[in-house]
Amino acid sequence: MCAAQRVRVDKLAERGTEDFKRTAILVTITDTSKDDGRYLWLWILLAVLGTMGVGAAIFFGFGLLLPPATDPLTQEPASVFSSASVYDLSRSTLTATGILVGAGAAVIAYRNQRLKESQHSIERGRHSIERSERSLALQREYRTRYEVAAKQIGDNAAVVRLAGVFALGQLASDWPDRLARQSCVDVLCAYLRIPVRGRVATVADATFVEGTMVMVEDEPDKEVRMSIQRLIINHFKRDGEDVHWGDVDIDLTGATLVNADFSGSIFPGRVKLDRVRFSGDATFQGAKFNKQVSFDEAVFTRNSMFGSVTFLEGASFRKVRFKGLNMASARFGAHSRFGGVEVDGGASFSGTRFWKGVSFHNAKFNGRVTFVKTRFADRVWFENSRFHGRTSFAKASFHSSVTFELAEFESAPVFKSAGQALEPKINGATVAGDSWNGPAILKAVDPRPEHDEELNPIQVTTTPADRPRVMRLKRLLLVPRNWARSLWRRVRPAAPTVSKTAR
């Protein structure tokens, strides 16, 4: 019998940098068995000799223990080694020897099976060691690349910073760990959030924004920032050639983006663009935001295009300043906020779908605003809003309550062929300084709007007329369950009772 094989697992100490610490597990396989292949012939010879010895012992043992056979002719006890006795002893010996040999074969087969399982466990351990070593080597390589790229981004030379930017972008594509990818993207976003490097040579060179003097941006640093902006945009394009970064979050709070073109982009993670200054045109045409997005207090210096944008979760545009806004055919799957928004040019929400509540309180529209064929599936608030241009709600549909309290219109809003489910609230609303009597030419619409497979797959809202029908359907579905419960109460065995004295 060979010695047993055992597996010893040793846990090593944690390795890695301060940001990336991992626990490395080294599996060491110790095989204490000897090589028994060269002694195989000896084991076979010993098995044959042992079987012969056991058979001889059984033969003579049966001859001494069993009573002698009777001679059929003389009716006298026959000799132990007569032909009849030898035949009976041989038969008994073969039977007993066969049983012993079978038991031995079973033991040997069991031992071989255990040996194979042990060898298979050793192979698995070896493969595990190789995988662990490869994984540790890759982790060390990724960490080294991260440290080198981070140092390059902090260098004074713009060329070195550019090298660090592209190195971090490629590392975010290669690194399979989601948290590590997020760290790479956070470094790139943090660079854009850092105040602009530059100087003010003369007062004439300075740029004034809302009475505040802004430094002239250094050209090399501007190229680095534009490279980061292009890198981020390309990694979220639908038809981009670069590898997607996955569901990482983007935080560009307070950054400055120049001619940002996110058209057709997909953002799987959260996007935070609060207080971002969009210099030049900002395009989000056909983009898709899978999680929450925030543009609070952002500034758009030129036209902003959000046509056919999809917001699956909440979208916030509070206190945003637009030069011109095009949000036609956009879709909002969750509650959206436009409180305090200010649009200096025209604004278009034509064909937009708001599947949840939307708030425009304290909004200010300084130009023409259109809500033509806009669908409001839930409540909408326009209280204390200011409309300083022509306003049109033609063919819009309000499937829930709408509030225009304290709203101000310079000209009468158009509600031609618009539909409503509930009477709008117009307390304190005015048109050209006079009290507003409310929207005209409205028709009744169904409180249950048609659903959207992606944003609003199931409509659970029911009208009072539908509720009795729904209750009848529920009661009908509960009948089989009640029958099954009553039948089970009858056929189930009674629970054993224990008296207080037995306790």
Side-chain angles (χ1 to χ4, degrees):
M1 298 290 293
C2 64
Q5 299 174 342
R6 62 180 181 270
V7 178
R8 186 175 74 256
V9 180
D10 298 329
K11 184 176 181 181
L12 299 182
E14 292 185 351
R15 303 176 179 177
T17 61
E18 182 179 357
D19 293 332
F20 301 98
K21 288 187 177 181
R22 299 291 184 269
T23 300
I25 303 299
L26 178 62
V27 182
T28 305
I29 306 300
T30 304
D31 187 2
T32 59
S33 64
K34 296 181 180 180
D35 186 10
D36 299 327
R38 54 184 174 177
Y39 299 110
L40 182 60
W41 62 271
L42 181 60
W43 287 108
I44 294 175
L45 179 61
L46 290 177
V48 173
L49 294 177
T51 303
M52 294 175 62
V54 170
I58 294 175
F59 180 82
F60 287 104
F62 282 167
L64 295 176
L65 296 177
L66 295 178
T70 305
D71 190 353
L73 298 178
T74 60
Q75 298 298 323
E76 294 180 358
S79 175
V80 176
F81 298 102
S82 63
S83 59
S85 297
V86 169
Y87 175 76
D88 291 339
L89 290 174
S90 300
R91 186 172 59 183
S92 301
T93 299
L94 290 175
T95 302
T97 304
I99 293 174
L100 292 177
V101 171
V107 172
I108 293 174
Y110 175 74
R111 182 257 181 191
N112 291 335
Q113 181 63 26
R114 291 295 302 272
L115 181 60
K116 290 180 180 179
E117 292 178 356
S118 216
Q119 292 175 349
H120 186 59
S121 177
I122 291 175
E123 291 298 326
R124 282 199 312 241
R126 289 174 182 170
H127 291 311
S128 178
I129 289 176
E130 294 176 357
R131 287 195 300 268
S132 299
E133 290 179 349
R134 288 195 298 267
S135 177
L136 290 175
L138 285 176
Q139 291 296 328
R140 287 192 293 268
E141 178 187 353
Y142 291 147
R143 292 167 193 161
T144 303
R145 291 171 57 185
Y146 177 81
E147 294 173 359
V148 172
K151 291 179 180 178
Q152 290 177 336
I153 286 185
D155 196 271
N156 292 327
V159 177
V160 179
R161 295 200 299 271
L162 278 174
V165 167
F166 292 115
L168 268 182
Q170 187 60 41
L171 180 58
S173 300
D174 297 339
W175 211 327
D177 188 2
R178 191 260 177 192
L179 294 178
R181 293 198 308 270
Q182 184 65 58
S183 299
C184 297
V185 176
D186 287 343
V187 173
L188 296 175
C189 294
Y191 192 96
L192 293 180
R193 294 197 302 267
I194 296 175
V196 176
R197 297 187 181 186
R199 59 182 176 80
V200 177
T202 62
V203 177
D205 294 334
T207 302
F208 288 86
V209 178
E210 298 181 356
T212 303
M213 186 169 60
V214 180
M215 292 188 299
V216 178
E217 188 173 3
D218 190 12
E219 287 299 327
D221 187 67
K222 181 179 179 181
E223 182 60 31
V224 175
R225 292 175 179 272
M226 292 300 298
S227 298
I228 296 177
Q229 178 179 317
R230 287 192 296 267
L231 188 65
I232 294 176
I233 292 175
N234 291 335
H235 276 81
F236 289 99
K237 287 285 187 179
R238 298 192 185 190
D239 54 351
E241 297 179 356
D242 294 330
V243 180
H244 205 281
W245 283 343
D247 56 341
V248 296
D249 299 333
I250 299 296
D251 185 4
L252 295 174
T253 302
T256 299
L257 303 180
V258 180
N259 293 325
D261 184 6
F262 290 95
S263 58
S265 300
I266 298 179
F267 298 92
R270 294 180 176 86
V271 179
K272 192 173 183 180
L273 299 173
D274 298 342
R275 300 189 302 278
V276 173
R277 179 178 177 82
F278 292 90
S279 179
D281 293 336
T283 304
F284 291 86
Q285 197 81 15
K288 183 178 181 182
F289 297 88
N290 293 340
K291 293 186 179 179
Q292 295 180 354
V293 55
S294 175
F295 290 85
D296 292 346
E297 300 182 18
V299 177
F300 294 83
T301 59
R302 295 184 63 180
N303 294 329
S304 54
M305 288 163 280
F306 288 85
S308 303
V309 178
T310 300
F311 300 94
L312 294 182
E313 294 190 7
S316 179
F317 292 86
R318 290 177 296 188
K319 298 182 179 180
V320 178
R321 294 178 57 184
F322 292 100
K323 199 69 175 178
L325 175 61
N326 179 13
M327 202 167 281
S329 302
R331 296 189 300 168
F332 293 83
H335 189 82
S336 51
R337 299 172 178 86
F338 291 84
V341 66
E342 183 176 352
V343 184
D344 291 334
S348 174
F349 292 88
S350 299
T352 303
R353 301 290 186 266
F354 295 97
W355 294 108
K356 298 295 182 181
V358 54
S359 174
F360 288 92
H361 68 276
N362 295 324
K364 185 178 181 181
F365 299 94
N366 297 323
R368 180 177 180 179
V369 56
T370 58
F371 290 91
V372 178
K373 295 183 179 180
T374 303
R375 178 160 297 176
F376 300 95
D378 207 342
R379 293 180 295 179
V380 55
W381 294 268
F382 286 98
E383 71 271 24
N384 205 25
S385 297
R386 305 291 184 266
F387 298 88
H388 297 291
R390 296 184 58 186
T391 306
S392 175
F393 290 91
K395 298 183 180 180
S397 55
F398 301 89
H399 296 270
S400 185
S401 63
V402 54
T403 301
F404 289 98
E405 294 179 345
L406 301 177
E408 295 181 5
F409 298 91
E410 280 195 357
S411 60
V414 178
F415 285 87
K416 183 179 180 181
S417 300
Q420 65 175 5
L422 300 174
E423 190 71 22
K425 300 177 182 180
I426 58 173
N427 295 332
T430 60
V431 176
D434 298 331
S435 178
W436 186 38
N437 296 325
I441 316 178
L442 290 179
K443 60 181 180 180
V445 297
D446 190 350
R448 300 168 300 174
E450 60 182 12
H451 66 276
D452 189 302
E453 293 295 338
E454 184 177 13
L455 300 181
N456 197 23
I458 300 177
Q459 293 292 330
V460 296
T461 305
T462 58
T463 59
D466 292 334
R467 287 170 187 167
R469 182 174 58 186
V470 173
M471 295 302 297
R472 288 195 298 270
L473 180 60
K474 288 184 177 179
R475 286 195 293 268
L476 182 62
L477 294 177
L478 290 177
V479 169
R481 189 191 68 176
N482 296 335
W483 286 353
R485 286 182 177 179
S486 61
L487 181 62
W488 170 247
R489 293 193 188 99
R490 294 179 182 178
V491 301
R492 68 177 178 180
T497 58
V498 180
S499 62
K500 296 182 179 180
T501 57
R503 294 179 183 174

